[in-house]
Amino acid sequence: MKIHSGVKSENMENTHYPFVNLPLKYEYNALEPYIDEKTMMLHHDKHLQKYIDELNAALEENPRLMSLSLEELVRIAPMLPRAVGTAVRNNAGGVYNHRLLFDGFAPAAYFESTGALGKAIEDKYGSFDGFYKALHDAAMSVFGSGYAWLVSGENGLGIVTTPNQDTPLSRDLCPIIALDVWEHAYYLKHYNDRSSYIDDFFKVINWNEANKRYIECQNMR
Ligand code: MN
């Protein structure tokens, strides 16, 4: 199988077993009032921690997989025997997706030039508003738990959704923005109003990080 490395951001430390829960690069309350402190604490310290613990446990039961990187685990999961494959798919995916998610946030009012990504978004979606609507609609269309993504692929930028903790990597797409629409990402503050959560999500996107990922995605092709 083809295994090439995906996003090699300096933020993606701890790429191999044993996996640890890297601390957030900002305070739990840094995304207020858009994403609340308690949600961030639970999401990072409980939900992501559980994916990390269960991924480590799955690897301890299957030591031959221990030498693989997080991205390699995500990519190889569909080819593994079902029991271990499911555990790796869900938990390596959960760790990979949440690291992208949390590194993709920046405190409210943080805004830097979107650089090459901003230009690509305008070319593809006509305007930032066009992009916003496309990602919003995609995120609203996810039934149950999953993600909407801005990705880069063979045909340039695209918006896709994935169920559960599946990642765009398994479709050979390079992730730029991860929008987690599991209820645990928003229920405490936004209740069942996913749409208002998505609006708030847009206020705390780390555009500097997204632009950096976009450039890294381009360089891999
Ligand atoms: Mn989540």
Side-chain angles (χ1 to χ4, degrees), residues 45-98:
D45 293 6
K46 303 295 184 187
H47 290 277
L48 174 50
Q49 185 68 53
K50 186 156 185 281
Y51 292 116
I52 285 172
D53 293 344
E54 294 194 1
L55 176 57
N56 284 333
L59 297 179
E60 280 151 19
E61 286 176 20
N62 298 273
R64 70 197 171 88
L65 300 176
M66 277 184 181
S67 63
L68 297 179
S69 73
L70 183 60
E71 290 190 5
E72 288 166 343
L73 289 165
V74 166
R75 289 174 188 277
I76 207 172
M79 282 152 267
L80 296 172
R82 192 159 78 173
V84 60
T86 300
V88 170
R89 178 177 183 163
N90 289 339
N91 295 300
V95 175
Y96 181 82
N97 290 345
H98 282 96

Side-chain angles (χ1 to χ4, degrees), residues 43-44 47-48 51 94 97-98 101-102 146-147 164-165 179-186 197:
H43 202 170
H44 179 271
H47 290 277
L48 174 50
Y51 292 116
N97 290 345
H98 282 96
L101 174 79
F102 290 129
Y147 291 75
N164 304 312
Q165 294 298 352
L179 203 180
D180 184 346
V181 296
W182 284 60
E183 282 187 346
H184 67 228
Y186 62 90
Y197 157 69

Side-chain angles (χ1 to χ4, degrees), residues 7-78:
V7 173
K8 261 207 209 68
S9 156
E10 68 209 27
N11 297 329
M12 297 292 276
E13 303 147 9
N14 180 224
T15 55
H16 288 74
Y17 175 90
F19 291 97
V20 298
N21 200 357
L22 302 170
L24 294 176
K25 297 184 167 67
Y26 41 81
E27 300 297 321
Y28 292 106
N29 66 0
L31 308 181
E32 295 269 8
Y34 304 109
I35 299 180
D36 60 288
E37 178 176 17
K38 189 160 193 186
T39 293
M40 290 303 291
M41 291 181 79
L42 292 170
H43 202 170
H44 179 271
D45 293 6
K46 303 295 184 187
H47 290 277
L48 174 50
Q49 185 68 53
K50 186 156 185 281
Y51 292 116
I52 285 172
D53 293 344
E54 294 194 1
L55 176 57
N56 284 333
L59 297 179
E60 280 151 19
E61 286 176 20
N62 298 273
R64 70 197 171 88
L65 300 176
M66 277 184 181
S67 63
L68 297 179
S69 73
L70 183 60
E71 290 190 5
E72 288 166 343
L73 289 165
V74 166
R75 289 174 188 277
I76 207 172

Side-chain angles (χ1 to χ4, degrees), residues 184-200:
H184 67 228
Y186 62 90
Y187 204 86
L188 288 182
K189 177 179 173 67
H190 300 86
Y191 304 116
N192 61 332
D193 188 357
R194 186 188 287 182
S195 180
S196 73
Y197 157 69
I198 297 165
D199 289 343
D200 282 348

